[in-house]
Amino acid sequence: MVVGTRDHERRERLRAPRAGRHRGVGGAESFSGGFTALAQLAYAGATVSASVIDLRSGLTLVSIDDRVAMPTASVGKILLLIEVAARITARDAAGFGILDKTPGDAVGDSGIWQRLQAPALPVTDLALLVGATSDNLATNVLLRQVGLDSVRARGEQLGLSRTALLDLVRDHRGPDDAPQLSIGSAAELSWLFSALARGEVVDAVTSKRVLGWLSHNADLSMVASAFGLDPLSHRTPDSGLQLINKTGTDGGVRSEAGLLSGSRTGVAYAVTVQFSGADLAARLRVLEAMRTFGFDLLEYVF
């Protein structure tokens, strides 16, 4: 009964309407560079959303159109990892075993399993590949195992109304397919990472398992490019900094959500930018703005 009440309160809190803001209640002065960089993108025609939460106080530091549901590309794979981790914790049969890759799962782009000779891998290894390299083939095989409907239901149980994994990964999206792999709001994504940090996503064991997979993420090309960490080895604190993140990349979309802890405090953050994907100069401006926002995060936690 208590758990049900908490879930209801969480859903109501996330769904409650809120006046649009472009600055947080406190600490906004620390993010002036990021605000300016993201505002310039918006003036140039991009759609921008961002949210930052202080992990110690729970205070919202940054809120830029953070309730808007935007395409988030592979960031939505977090929900798949949560479902897989929950199945393992519950000792559900779908969370165990060795899974084969089939022609129906085949997909290109991110990941390395498509290049490996191994025809089958354990569920936990596939989840690690998703966390480390956003592996598309591993994503599709895991989705075949646990079911997209289960992933969607898990998100709803967590109180997420603007964040969802919509489809499996496809090389080409037709008129009958979901237009995006995933959508998400910055407010919900930053909350989700803060809940993972508190051990409140399903339970502490499940939360820790998901964070463990994500801690291997090698993509530090966006916000995290400001932190000076080794992309291939940053699981342990480096100069007092600890990062866990998930990124999403698609034509005209750059998205990142994660946790950054420093010597002073820690934050959960999410930033998504949608822009003209055909323009290389625009893409570079987006990455530079996200990097600038990352410098603000670094300054705040360190």
Side-chain angles (χ1 to χ4, degrees):
M1 183 66 176
V2 174
V3 174
T5 301
R6 288 178 180 173
D7 287 343
H8 175 73
E9 291 175 349
R10 182 181 300 151
R11 284 193 294 270
E12 291 304 309
R13 184 172 64 252
L14 287 169
R15 292 170 179 169
R18 181 169 72 166
R21 296 186 298 168
H22 292 276
R23 291 188 181 271
V25 175
E29 67 281 355
S30 301
F31 296 89
S32 59
F35 275 118
T36 300
L38 294 177
Q40 289 174 348
L41 293 180
Y43 290 141
T47 303
V48 177
S49 180
S51 174
V52 180
I53 299 172
D54 187 297
L55 292 178
R56 290 186 180 177
S57 67
L59 184 68
T60 297
L61 304 172
V62 174
S63 174
I64 303 175
D65 290 337
D66 61 350
R67 295 300 174 111
V68 178
M70 294 179 59
T72 50
S74 291
V75 170
K77 294 174 183 177
I78 297 170
L79 300 176
L80 170 62
L81 295 180
I82 291 171
E83 177 62 16
V84 172
R87 298 288 186 99
I88 295 173
T89 302
R91 299 193 176 277
D92 186 292
F96 298 89
I98 298 176
L99 305 182
D100 296 317
K101 54 183 175 183
T102 70
D105 304 313
V107 65
D109 293 331
S110 64
I112 62 172
W113 193 21
Q114 59 184 305
R115 309 297 180 189
L116 300 179
Q117 295 299 311
L121 289 171
V123 168
T124 51
D125 286 0
L126 297 181
L128 178 57
L129 285 177
V130 174
T133 69
S134 199
D135 197 292
N136 285 338
L137 177 55
T139 296
N140 283 354
V141 172
L142 286 174
L143 278 172
R144 174 163 53 82
Q145 176 75 350
V146 301
L148 183 60
D149 288 343
S150 295
V151 176
R152 290 174 176 170
R154 181 71 62 180
E156 292 174 358
Q157 290 172 8
L158 293 172
L160 303 176
S161 60
R162 298 176 177 89
T163 301
L165 185 63
L166 302 177
D167 198 5
L168 50 78
V169 187
R170 301 178 187 275
D171 287 324
H172 305 286
R173 295 197 170 274
D176 295 329
D177 301 323
Q180 305 287 344
L181 176 63
S182 75
I183 58 172
S185 78
E188 289 188 344
L189 287 169
S190 61
W191 171 84
L192 183 61
F193 267 93
S194 66
L196 283 168
R198 296 190 302 270
E200 296 177 354
V201 174
V202 181
D203 55 36
V205 173
T206 299
S207 297
K208 183 177 180 180
R209 183 173 284 116
V210 173
L211 291 176
W213 290 330
L214 292 174
S215 69
H216 292 274
N217 182 31
D219 184 7
L220 308 188
S221 64
M222 302 181 206
V223 176
S225 66
F227 306 151
L229 299 173
D230 183 344
L232 302 179
S233 180
H234 56 269
R235 298 197 70 218
T236 56
D238 184 341
S239 300
L241 291 176
Q242 179 115 44
L243 170 72
I244 297 175
N245 72 327
K246 182 74 186 78
T247 56
T249 298
D250 203 352
V253 176
R254 293 296 183 274
S255 184
E256 179 173 341
L259 298 168
L260 179 68
S261 299
S263 57
R264 193 174 73 86
T265 188
V267 293
Y269 67 91
V271 181
T272 299
V273 182
Q274 189 172 16
F275 59 100
S276 173
D279 187 347
L280 175 60
R283 188 190 316 165
L284 295 175
R285 286 194 295 270
V286 168
L287 292 174
E288 183 59 30
M290 295 180 82
R291 179 179 174 86
T292 300
F293 197 83
F295 282 128
D296 285 350
L297 293 177
L298 178 64
E299 182 180 5
Y300 184 81
V301 305
F302 198 65

